[in-house]
Amino acid sequence: MDVIYFLIPLALILLICAIGAFMWAAKSGQFEDLDREAHRILFDEDMKPNQAKEKPDSQNQENQ
Amino acid sequence: MSENVPSCYHCGLPCNDSTEYKLIILNEQRDLCCPGCKAVAEAIVDAGMESYYQHRETGTPGSSPAPELVPSFLKQLSAWDDPDLQDTYVREEAKDESSDQSTDKASITLMISGITCAACVWLIEHQLENTPGIIKTKVNLSTHRAEVEWHRQQLQLSDVLRAIGRVGYKAEPYSPLVQETTITKENRQALARIGVAGLGAMQVMMFAVGLYAGDYQGIATQHETFLRWVSALVCIPVYLYAGAPFLKGAWRNIKTKHFGMDVPVAIAISAAFFASIWSTFTQGPEVYFDSVCMFIFFLSVGRYLEMRARHRSIASSIRTSQQGVLMARVKNDQDDEWQLKPADRLKRGEVVFVKAGETIPGDGIIETGITLVNEAMLTGEETPLEKAPGDLVTGGTVNTEQPIQISITKDPKDSVLYTLRRLLDQAQSEKPGITQLADRVAGYFVLGVLVVASVTYTSWYFIEPNDAFWIVLSVLVVTCPCALSLATPAAITTATAKLANHGFLPTHAKFIESFRQVTDVVFDKTGTLTYGKFSIIETVNLCDQKKQDLLIVAASLEQHSEHPIASAFTAQFDSKELLPVSAPRIERNQGVEGTVNGITYRIGSAEFISQMRNGQSPQPPTPHEQWILLATEQADLAWFSIADALRQDAKPLVAYLQNAGLTCHILSGDSSEHPFKVAQALKINDVINNASPEEKLIHIRQLQQQNKRVLMIGDGLNDAPVLAGADVSIALSTGTDLAKVAADAVLLNHQISSLAHVVGVVNKTYRIIQQNLSWALAYNLLALPAAALGFVPPWLAAIGMSSSSLIVVFNALRIQKVNAQLDLKAN
């Protein structure tokens, strides 16, 4: 049973890592908008721009 | 309108059969209603973001973007490029250590209106990412805020706003309120505490399993000591960090000599913690580290859920009450140009230009222009008043007819609006407090536990002095009011979610308990019991033409008038149905003359008609109402009675409330007889008209002095102090910002009959809270004798505590099932 003298301190180190990771996630605002993340997967990120490249001129003119 | 009118693919509003605006979206030809929607849809399709249309919810983004896209709006955005204006909103990114382009980065928080679902968020983020010069964007779906970081040299602020405008949303710079910053901080801290408590509890439970198993099978002393020591090690941060809110709360309670739920919680966890530490040092019989961690974890989660429900409602009420920055057009001294400037930066002596339909930015005197000003938000009265040069106008009122120039006479700090705000703050600070049921129970509970603990200790001291301390400890652990203190938060969290589904947002944690004690309901009249706009109540036909034909003629004439009464006529018809009017002539505050189908008509006051015929003034059918006459030169055609009509659901609601034993009152700023008529129709006896905000507040105070609990429902600026002063208050979402800020709850849909749901949910919630409290108390009472007799080992205490807490939570979920439907037809 003496293995617990090695395994338990190891578990404690892992515990500290887990708490650290969780604190970092909470502090960097990752839990602030849960609704939005739930939907992110649905969107097709690859569909992007083919035409967007053609039109930047007209958009820039509007901006001026 | 026919039934299958095609609807606009982008905004969902009905559009013409033969709409000329068409676009291929998702491989199909789609009808669009207007150039605005077409421009937006084109921008979306061209940027390759069509999948927005696949994933958006309910198929409609809240409103048609068209009005926001008119050139004048986009032009106005350029005002934001003024560095002075940007001051408060734009944050310079600190000089980056590594990069060369040092001060070029800037970031800003934008408030975006029109966001309804995750698809909107995706669309905006993509639009911005495709705009060159933008470094980073993050749009938050629940707060409707966007964080944008961009290169200043490449892009102006107005370009950022315009890019968002191009896909159909309105963005405005926004500086977060103190309240919101606190919310974010509170939220993050609570999460961190839950993390520590949760992970810690898991570890300690594992060690505890070892210890419990050791109790049965036997365990080597050195192993047992080791397990106790590591449990203590993990438990220390949990107790000190995650348990801090309870310890602090209890300390506050003790200092104010007012025992809340925190006191018994703190006693239980502290006693268990320190005794276990003592036991670890001295090799005592028991340790309770697992119970301490679990208590703290369960309670933190309960508090967190309650806090989140509260934050959510605060955030939505902030969102509904933020109408953006009120801008003023100020004359520039150098070049006599009009320049935009936020209204709260106006100075005395500046000259401001206000277009028709705009809100007057500050208190001042009219210099040029005659117009009608709607002071409804100040007095509650909907009929606009005529204002000519030299007359005083008040900031926040609406200029309805002609453009005017105003010379500002008061700094924003001395304005009427600001004074009202101060009155509101004062009323809020004097708001009567309410003791929550759980807190009252807690007081007795603490007393009970302390008495039982000391009795147990003395009895065991005589029987078995060595065991006395450990038995008292198990009494304290078993009686930890975990279920008791979860009883209320669990119920309130569920109730808040349920109310939100009915379009009702409580912004105050104590809303449910205070609402239940209400004895008197006070309504504001305009906009609350009535629609707050004019409509035709009665028609007296004096000729043989059909009523509908007369109405069309009247509406055709009135479409040329800007007077608010005109909308009573024109609102009934589509603009296509109206007849062409030749030579329309408008007589200010009198009426309209014009020729329709070759016949010259006049519509307006009796005097206006009599001018046409030199002499005899026709008599209106009744003396008190406001009557409008439609006539030709030869004959009077019809009288129309115009008034602010009663809401459809007002009558059943008042009847429902009266049935439920509540006394209803009307407090109105309206100086006419109209409040009395409304009261008569609704069978309300207590009516006060022509009341100023101060008088309204005094009236509420009088009711409160008679030991009545007052619920106030209102919408106007003039109601704000009263809303703040009443025991509970509800503002309508159509109301003014100040009213919403002052109220304890906001009604988001426009049906005041939802109040019946609220009554149902509140009563059910209260019953559930009572059940939960009784169950939790019963559990504690049952466990107490067992613990006092020394029958409860630590593992049994942990199981009992968890299951009693879960039962309380599941019971609270039953609130979801309330169904209080107010039958509109029953009355």
Side-chain angles (χ1 to χ4, degrees):
Chain A
M1 273 311 270
D2 287 344
V3 73
I4 59 167
Y5 295 118
F6 167 70
L7 286 180
I8 286 178
L10 190 69
L12 289 185
I13 290 168
L14 288 177
L15 176 68
I16 290 169
C17 295
I19 289 180
F22 186 83
M23 296 271 246
W24 167 77
K27 293 246 155 77
S28 63
Q30 294 188 28
F31 297 105
E32 237 124 273
D33 189 5
L34 302 171
D35 307 334
R36 190 225 177 301
E37 301 308 322
H39 289 88
R40 196 195 276 281
I41 189 82
L42 291 175
F43 291 96
D44 216 344
E45 303 280 332
D46 305 335
M47 240 176 97
K48 257 198 225 167
N50 36 14
Q51 290 124 314
K53 293 268 153 39
E54 296 166 24
K55 284 220 169 186
D57 289 341
S58 67
Q59 291 201 352
N60 280 350
Q61 271 158 22
E62 277 174 63
N63 290 348
Q64 246 88 97
Chain B
M1 272 186 247
S2 73
E3 283 189 8
N4 36 7
V5 179
S7 57
C8 174
Y9 189 69
H10 179 77
C11 71
L13 295 175
C15 66
N16 290 342
D17 284 322
S18 52
T19 178
E20 62 218 84
Y21 308 107
K22 288 187 189 292
L23 193 69
I24 295 176
I25 303 171
L26 296 172
N27 305 321
E28 248 182 78
Q29 176 101 343
R30 314 281 185 179
D31 292 332
L32 299 167
C33 66
C34 61
C37 284
K38 189 172 183 219
V40 169
E42 249 168 18
I44 294 174
V45 172
D46 288 349
M49 303 193 286
E50 275 173 286
S51 73
Y52 161 72
Y53 288 107
Q54 279 174 313
H55 297 303
R56 61 179 179 177
E57 280 161 32
T58 64
T60 53
S63 59
S64 164
E68 322 289 12
L69 283 173
V70 291
S72 76
F73 170 76
L74 290 178
K75 201 176 153 202
Q76 241 188 39
L77 290 178
S78 309
W80 286 110
D81 292 336
D82 182 357
D84 280 352
L85 239 180
Q86 291 189 3
D87 232 26
T88 27
Y89 301 104
V90 177
R91 299 177 295 273
E92 295 272 345
E93 287 299 301
K95 285 188 186 176
D96 205 359
E97 325 80 50
S98 56
S99 86
D100 309 327
Q101 20 169 271
S102 46
T103 57
D104 161 48
K105 278 189 199 166
S107 66
I108 192 169
T109 308
L110 299 174
M111 180 168 67
I112 301 185
S113 24
I115 294 186
T116 53
C117 63
C120 303
V121 169
W122 177 84
L123 186 61
I124 295 167
E125 279 186 359
H126 268 241
Q127 169 73 0
L128 288 176
E129 276 163 23
N130 290 340
T131 310
I134 290 195
I135 307 166
K136 211 164 67 185
T137 44
K138 195 171 180 199
V139 183
N140 188 321
L141 174 61
S142 35
T143 58
H144 297 200
R145 302 283 145 68
E147 295 288 334
V148 182
E149 201 182 312
W150 79 102
H151 285 296
R152 269 195 160 166
Q153 273 145 23
Q154 286 180 38
L155 211 61
Q156 294 278 13
L157 176 56
S158 63
D159 296 333
V160 177
L161 304 183
R162 232 172 259 139
I164 299 174
R166 219 175 289 117
V167 285
Y169 301 90
K170 191 177 167 191
E172 260 181 307
Y174 181 79
S175 61
L177 302 174
V178 187
Q179 225 177 341
E180 289 171 284
T181 336
T182 347
I183 286 182
T184 323
K185 227 175 98 185
E186 248 178 46
N187 193 31
R188 288 181 185 178
Q189 208 163 31
L191 267 174
R193 290 204 156 108
I194 289 182
V196 170
L199 292 167
M202 282 184 230
Q203 280 303 316
V204 176
M205 271 316 280
M206 286 207 271
F207 304 143
V209 168
L211 288 172
Y212 295 155
D215 281 349
Y216 278 106
Q217 307 174 347
I219 185 170
T221 324
Q222 76 267 30
H223 288 157
E224 190 182 21
T225 319
F226 177 66
L227 283 179
R228 284 184 177 189
W229 275 105
V230 283
S231 299
L233 197 67
V234 178
C235 193
I236 287 170
V238 175
Y239 175 75
L240 290 181
Y241 179 68
F246 305 105
L247 303 177
K248 279 186 202 153
W251 179 240
R252 256 200 313 275
N253 280 350
I254 288 169
K255 270 201 302 198
T256 53
K257 296 203 177 67
H258 166 86
F259 291 130
M261 206 39 104
D262 281 338
V263 179
V265 171
I267 291 179
I269 58 174
S270 301
F273 177 74
F274 287 112
S276 305
I277 293 272
W278 173 252
S279 173
T280 308
F281 272 106
T282 60
Q283 312 259 325
E286 312 276 14
V287 286
Y288 289 91
F289 291 120
D290 55 325
S291 296
V292 174
C293 291
M294 290 249 286
F295 280 151
I296 295 177
F297 177 60
F298 272 17
L299 291 171
S300 306
V301 170
R303 297 249 167 127
Y304 175 71
L305 290 179
E306 190 194 13
M307 187 187 79
R308 237 171 87 95
R310 202 178 66 235
H311 284 175
R312 214 172 248 258
S313 354
I314 296 176
S316 352
S317 89
I318 290 177
R319 199 164 69 223
T320 45
S321 66
Q322 289 289 320
Q323 299 282 320
V325 190
L326 181 59
M327 298 288 255
R329 268 185 216 79
V330 182
K331 189 177 258 174
N332 194 332
D333 291 333
Q334 286 117 39
D335 48 7
D336 266 11
E337 289 273 310
W338 297 108
Q339 221 178 25
L340 282 169
K341 180 175 178 178
D344 55 4
R345 301 240 194 121
L346 285 175
K347 290 193 191 72
R348 206 164 35 191
E350 280 183 323
V351 177
V352 180
F353 178 69
V354 186
K355 285 192 192 166
E358 287 186 339
T359 305
I360 295 172
D363 295 5
I365 292 178
I366 298 192
E367 295 226 312
T368 54
I370 301 173
T371 188
L372 291 174
V373 174
N374 185 336
E375 297 195 332
M377 65 182 335
L378 211 60
T379 58
E381 206 168 337
E382 205 58 35
T383 323
L385 303 173
E386 187 170 307
K387 300 275 183 180
D391 284 345
L392 279 168
V393 287
T394 316
T397 56
V398 180
N399 174 21
T400 56
E401 216 184 41
Q402 298 290 330
I404 48 171
Q405 286 183 26
I406 306 168
S407 157
I408 298 292
T409 51
K410 281 180 189 161
D411 284 334
K413 281 236 150 62
D414 307 320
S415 65
V416 173
L417 206 61
Y418 192 80
T419 324
L420 266 177
R421 224 174 260 268
R422 232 173 16 218
L423 190 61
L424 184 156
D425 288 342
Q426 192 193 338
Q428 222 151 19
S429 65
E430 290 163 8
K431 197 180 181 88
I434 171 162
T435 339
Q436 285 179 284
L437 181 62
D439 284 347
R440 283 201 301 272
V441 174
Y444 295 112
F445 190 83
V446 177
L447 197 72
V449 167
L450 291 180
V451 168
V452 171
S454 38
V455 169
T456 313
Y457 186 79
T458 10
S459 331
W460 277 96
Y461 188 77
F462 292 111
I463 305 166
E464 188 68 72
N466 287 336
D467 287 347
F469 175 75
W470 298 105
I471 288 173
V472 167
L473 186 65
S474 76
V475 165
L476 285 179
V477 172
V478 156
T479 54
C480 175
C482 198
L484 198 60
S485 56
L486 280 178
T488 315
I492 294 215
T493 310
T494 333
T496 312
K498 174 80 180 165
L499 288 176
N501 286 345
H502 285 300
F504 198 84
L505 282 178
T507 56
H508 216 275
K510 293 182 180 173
F511 176 80
I512 285 171
E513 295 217 24
S514 7
F515 191 95
R516 209 195 66 91
Q517 300 182 2
V518 163
T519 57
D520 288 60
V521 184
V522 179
F523 292 95
D524 168 49
K525 188 209 65 171
T526 317
T528 307
L529 288 172
T530 67
Y531 284 104
K533 53 186 183 228
F534 291 104
S535 57
I536 303 170
I537 291 186
E538 206 184 329
T539 310
V540 178
N541 199 339
L542 304 172
C543 62
D544 49 7
Q545 289 185 52
K546 267 197 279 175
K547 183 179 151 196
Q548 192 63 14
D549 296 338
L550 291 171
L551 276 172
I552 288 192
V553 172
S556 307
L557 290 168
E558 289 285 9
Q559 68 180 318
H560 297 278
S561 166
E562 295 278 316
H563 197 281
I565 283 182
S567 64
F569 292 91
T570 50
Q572 301 187 4
F573 299 99
D574 200 47
S575 57
K576 283 182 295 183
E577 293 176 80
L578 296 179
L579 308 165
V581 179
S582 52
R585 192 173 65 80
I586 298 149
E587 193 79 18
R588 167 175 304 285
N589 266 355
Q590 292 285 314
V592 184
E593 185 189 86
T595 309
V596 180
N597 293 337
I599 306 167
T600 303
Y601 293 95
R602 270 189 176 199
I603 183 164
S605 63
E607 296 88 64
F608 180 60
I609 305 295
S610 64
Q611 284 165 19
M612 181 162 65
R613 313 205 184 105
N614 305 322
Q616 90 263 43
S617 180
Q619 276 304 313
T622 55
H624 291 303
E625 276 86 2
Q626 191 167 11
W627 287 97
I628 300 284
L629 182 60
L630 176 71
T632 61
E633 230 164 308
Q634 290 78 36
D636 299 338
L637 300 178
W639 286 103
F640 302 103
S641 170
I642 306 290
D644 186 4
L646 212 56
R647 275 178 198 268
Q648 242 180 342
D649 47 0
K651 208 168 173 181
L653 175 72
V654 170
Y656 176 87
L657 293 176
Q658 284 171 337
N659 254 340
L662 303 171
T663 322
C664 296
H665 310 255
I666 293 180
L667 262 184
S668 176
D670 190 340
S671 58
S672 73
E673 299 290 299
H674 194 216
F676 293 102
K677 257 176 261 157
V678 170
Q680 211 175 7
L682 297 174
K683 304 201 180 76
I684 293 176
N685 295 325
D686 185 30
V687 189
I688 291 180
N689 69 342
N690 200 11
S692 69
E694 287 87 352
E695 285 164 355
K696 284 186 173 188
L697 194 55
I698 291 171
H699 188 79
I700 298 260
R701 292 255 184 278
Q702 278 168 354
L703 283 175
Q704 285 168 340
Q705 270 157 24
Q706 296 161 27
N707 276 333
K708 305 232 166 107
R709 295 283 185 170
V710 182
L711 165 67
M712 171 80 199
I713 304 166
D715 69 333
L717 197 56
N718 56 337
D719 298 321
V722 205
L723 288 170
D727 294 276
V728 204
S729 51
I730 299 171
L732 304 190
S733 64
T734 43
T736 50
D737 306 349
L738 209 55
K740 281 181 263 179
V741 171
D744 298 321
V746 181
L747 184 60
L748 291 182
N749 61 21
H750 304 298
Q751 291 181 330
I752 53 170
S753 57
S754 314
L755 217 60
H757 293 293
V758 179
V759 175
V761 173
V762 163
N763 286 337
K764 175 91 176 179
T765 307
Y766 199 75
R767 269 202 308 280
I768 297 258
I769 290 180
Q770 279 177 325
Q771 286 168 8
N772 275 354
L773 289 178
S774 345
W775 155 252
L777 276 176
Y779 159 77
N780 280 330
L781 287 179
L782 217 74
L784 199 69
L789 295 174
F791 292 147
V792 180
W795 56 271
L796 196 58
I799 291 174
M801 186 263 300
S802 315
S803 48
S804 72
S805 303
L806 284 179
I807 289 176
V808 164
V809 171
F810 285 127
N811 191 29
L813 290 179
R814 294 196 305 130
I815 296 173
Q816 290 287 2
K817 295 205 190 111
V818 189
N819 210 357
Q821 200 77 35
L822 179 56
D823 192 357
L824 287 180
K825 283 157 206 122
N827 291 277

